Amino acid sequence: MTRIGHFISNTITTGSSIRSQPVFNPATGKAEKEVVLASKEDVNEAVAAAKVAWPAWAKTPPLRRARILDRFKMILWDRMDELAEVISSEHGKTHDDAVGEVTRGLEVVEFATAAPTLLKGEFSRNVGSGVDSYGIRQPLGVVAGITPFNFPAMVPLWMVPVALACGNTFVLKPSERDPSASLLLGEWLAEAGLPEGVFNVVQGDKDAVDALLHHPDIQAVSFVGSTPIAQYIHQTASANGKRVQALGGAKNHMVVMPDADLDMAANALMGAAFGSAGERCMAISVAVPVTDTVADALIERLVPKIEVLKIGPAADRSSNMGPLVTQAHLEKVRGYIDSAEQQGAKIIVDGRSFQQPMQGYEDGFFIGGTLIDNVTEDMTAYREEIFGPVLSIVRKPRYQDAVDLIHGHHYANGTAIFTRDGDTARAFASEIDVGMVGVNVPIPVPMAFHSFGGWKASMFGDHAMHGMEGVRFYTRLKTVTSRWPSGLRTNPEFSMPTLG
Ligand code: NAD
């Protein structure tokens, strides 16, 4: 059985740990590989490698760092299919979806190749007589990234290119459920010319995470995953004096106004709710039609589309949606549908009993698309993140009720409104307490040169990921005030210096 190891100092190693766990192919339901789980010593080795590499990398001119990222970008373009196949074999998503994920990650590499521009800083001449002042953004040192299963390439790529472009060295702890993509990223960065120790991967679970959170040489931690773990990471790393950005779970609502193009809204909901089997932090899991008339018309359009969803393995390139990531997650998602039914909601399309007909994939972790009507705020399936292909309908009579509903939820990652009315759209975008907003765009994932991050229980910490927020997170600002002898005052000054 293939054993997936760590990547330390540009070399793949299985380290010293004796622990490992199986890695499943969700489409076949079989454990096809195993991943080693790092011990504290393995983590220490990776951090030590990154620490040794840091001074030289921090001194490397940004343009040279950018050129390495530029070569890495070209490798990603050329080998996108290879990476996508690895992702699908461990995550289960369709090939096109995996290609989409890699493309969105690659865009952050493109952004980071502008390192010399991004790090230009600010300069004020003659702030006092003969005195100049300038701000420089300097790297933090060794930083860590801890990432979730649902985007095994894209989420690491939200962090790594920006951190490296800014002059930091990196230790990544990817999800133990789909660990292989991280090794390809490491090998390709090395091939692009990245010096040893600048980017390292430790595979593992809570033991590895805790070793990173308590390591005195880790300066900052970037985390993406579920909210309880995001809170734990934020609290523990902050208590240890580290800078932290910790992105958590989501429950994203899409408001459909009576004037919306309902065919457009229904198609948008199909991709946003069922794409990637709903295992996206920006998936729309709640549709909020305003008025019963809109709800009925929307359901009428959605039902036939959900019934013909092509659910299959990535090997079948015509699949719209793949399996869930594990058997345990499949059971959890089924449990949420059961709970909605028990609490009085109406299951309109029921995916619980879906059986994969394709030979060789009968034991995969597949579930059918599910549509639930008459969901209310108090139901478990509404309060909690399901992370599966389950769309809930919460009916509301007025726009303001839809806004109040969204404001009542503890998650605030993304949201969308579908309307033809510019006034309503503008009001929604400015008043809604959610981090990322779409107007007739169901999954408003910001481009690499903007920043990604939710509000409330969807993000802990002050800086969102990539874009200028990413640059701010991975650098510290130093302000230098300089005077040359020709501007020197002759007498000693004992009062607070004023330059004006
Ligand atoms: P998860 O929280 O279970 O795991 C994320 C990472 O934390 C993994 O690397 C895992 O090994 C580690 N981890 C798990 N339990 C831990 C513990 N007890 N102590 C320390 N570390 C631990 O999340 P997941 O199931 O891999 O991913 C799905 C979740 O991620 C969903 O909630 C989804 O909304 C969220 N997510 C959020 C965003 C965002 O941008 N807000 C993006 C993608 C995914």
Side-chain angles (χ1 to χ4, degrees):
M1 192 180 275
T2 309
R3 212 167 143 80
I4 301 158
H6 316 297
F7 183 80
I8 300 175
S9 298
N10 285 0
T11 307
I12 291 184
T13 161
T14 48
S16 65
S17 174
I18 45 165
R19 294 191 309 131
S20 62
Q21 78 172 50
V23 176
F24 286 84
N25 180 335
T28 61
K30 295 191 173 49
E32 295 180 354
K33 307 170 193 166
E34 66 174 2
V35 60
V36 299
L37 302 173
S39 62
K40 193 174 171 191
E41 289 66 36
D42 296 328
V43 172
N44 288 347
E45 194 192 333
V47 177
K51 190 179 178 188
V52 168
W54 183 61
W57 184 245
K59 284 196 193 101
T60 302
L63 187 59
R64 273 198 213 139
R65 299 200 290 252
R67 284 185 185 141
I68 293 171
L69 290 170
D70 198 48
R71 285 195 289 274
F72 174 58
K73 179 190 79 182
M74 295 317 294
I75 295 173
L76 277 175
W77 272 125
D78 290 346
R79 303 187 200 155
M80 193 171 285
D81 274 335
E82 185 187 338
L83 181 53
E85 275 166 26
V86 166
I87 292 170
S88 295
S89 72
E90 295 176 3
H91 174 285
K93 64 178 72 178
T94 65
H95 183 76
D96 286 352
D97 193 25
V99 167
E101 149 167 15
V102 178
T103 307
R104 293 307 301 262
L106 190 149
E107 287 164 7
V108 185
V109 186
E110 281 176 326
F111 167 75
T113 58
T117 309
L118 300 173
L119 295 169
K120 259 190 349 194
E122 52 195 15
F123 184 88
S124 301
R125 186 176 154 71
N126 224 27
V127 293
S129 304
V131 178
D132 301 327
S133 201
Y134 58 96
I136 48 179
R137 294 211 154 262
Q138 294 190 310
L140 306 176
V142 183
V143 299
I146 300 157
T147 52
F149 82 85
N150 67 323
F151 287 109
M154 184 184 81
V155 171
L157 289 173
W158 282 354
M159 307 168 180
V160 176
V162 184
L164 299 190
C166 292
N168 303 281
T169 56
F170 206 98
V171 179
L172 172 69
K173 205 302 285 172
S175 171
E176 59 275 45
R177 287 182 260 178
D178 44 15
S180 294
S182 63
L183 296 187
L184 283 182
L185 297 181
E187 288 180 317
W188 296 349
L189 277 164
E191 195 179 324
L194 197 71
E196 275 181 21
V198 174
F199 174 71
N200 308 275
V201 180
V202 282
Q203 309 291 355
D205 53 11
K206 182 172 168 49
D207 284 6
V209 172
D210 285 342
L212 287 168
L213 297 180
H214 292 282
H215 201 298
D217 292 332
I218 295 287
Q219 306 300 327
V221 178
S222 300
F223 172 87
V224 177
S226 60
T227 286
I229 312 299
Q231 272 174 308
Y232 169 73
I233 302 277
H234 184 248
Q235 283 164 8
T236 313
S238 302
N240 288 333
K242 303 180 194 316
R243 190 178 281 197
V244 198
Q245 50 178 188
L247 277 57
K251 194 81 181 176
N252 306 314
H253 300 69
M254 180 170 130
V255 179
V256 184
M257 295 298 292
D259 65 351
D261 179 331
L262 289 186
D263 291 318
M264 180 189 182
N267 282 334
L269 276 171
M270 287 304 297
F274 303 109
S276 213
E279 291 174 324
R280 289 181 183 141
C281 64
M282 288 292 274
I284 294 288
S285 50
V286 184
V288 192
V290 172
T291 75
D292 282 335
T293 315
V294 174
D296 295 339
L298 203 56
I299 289 169
E300 193 184 308
R301 285 166 173 79
L302 286 169
V303 170
K305 292 180 199 290
I306 299 171
E307 284 173 346
V308 299
L309 269 175
K310 181 93 191 288
I311 301 160
D316 178 354
R317 295 283 159 106
S318 66
S319 300
N320 300 133
M321 157 185 143
L324 292 173
V325 68
T326 56
Q327 181 68 34
H329 190 53
L330 173 63
E331 277 155 25
K332 191 171 167 195
V333 173
R334 282 195 190 125
Y336 278 120
I337 305 170
D338 293 345
S339 78
E341 192 170 40
Q342 284 151 15
Q343 290 170 4
K346 188 172 169 198
I347 315 292
I348 309 246
V349 183
D350 190 347
R352 281 174 291 188
S353 55
F354 175 82
Q355 272 298 320
Q356 178 52 248
M358 212 171 140
Q359 210 183 351
Y361 299 97
E362 299 87 344
D363 297 330
F365 311 133
F366 292 96
I367 186 169
T370 297
L371 183 66
I372 314 180
D373 193 11
N374 296 327
V375 174
T376 52
E377 287 91 317
D378 50 325
M379 292 180 186
T380 315
Y382 175 75
R383 300 302 311 161
E384 296 180 14
E385 180 181 42
I386 299 177
F387 225 53
V390 181
L391 179 61
S392 297
I393 308 266
V394 180
R395 296 168 177 244
K396 288 292 166 191
R398 289 176 302 265
Y399 165 79
Q400 191 55 47
D401 300 306
V403 169
D404 293 345
L405 174 79
I406 296 170
H407 284 169
H409 209 288
H410 52 289
Y411 289 127
N413 210 37
T415 188
I417 188 166
F418 274 61
T419 178
R420 285 190 173 96
D421 185 288
D423 216 10
T424 309
R426 189 170 186 277
F428 184 80
S430 59
E431 76 183 319
I432 206 76
D433 284 344
V434 175
M436 293 169 281
V437 181
V439 175
N440 297 318
V441 172
I443 306 185
V445 175
M447 294 296 285
F449 34 92
H450 286 269
S451 300
F452 186 108
W455 289 7
K456 290 158 72 177
S458 294
M459 190 177 108
F460 306 90
D462 299 319
H463 292 294
M465 302 230 169
H466 62 69
M468 285 316 291
E469 281 286 273
V471 174
R472 285 181 203 111
F473 182 77
Y474 288 122
T475 53
R476 338 182 241 201
L477 180 67
K478 182 181 281 176
T479 307
V480 181
T481 305
S482 67
R483 169 189 274 154
W484 295 97
S486 61
L488 203 66
R489 296 189 192 182
T490 48
N491 298 327
E493 273 183 46
F494 298 101
S495 54
M496 181 70 186
T498 55
L499 295 170

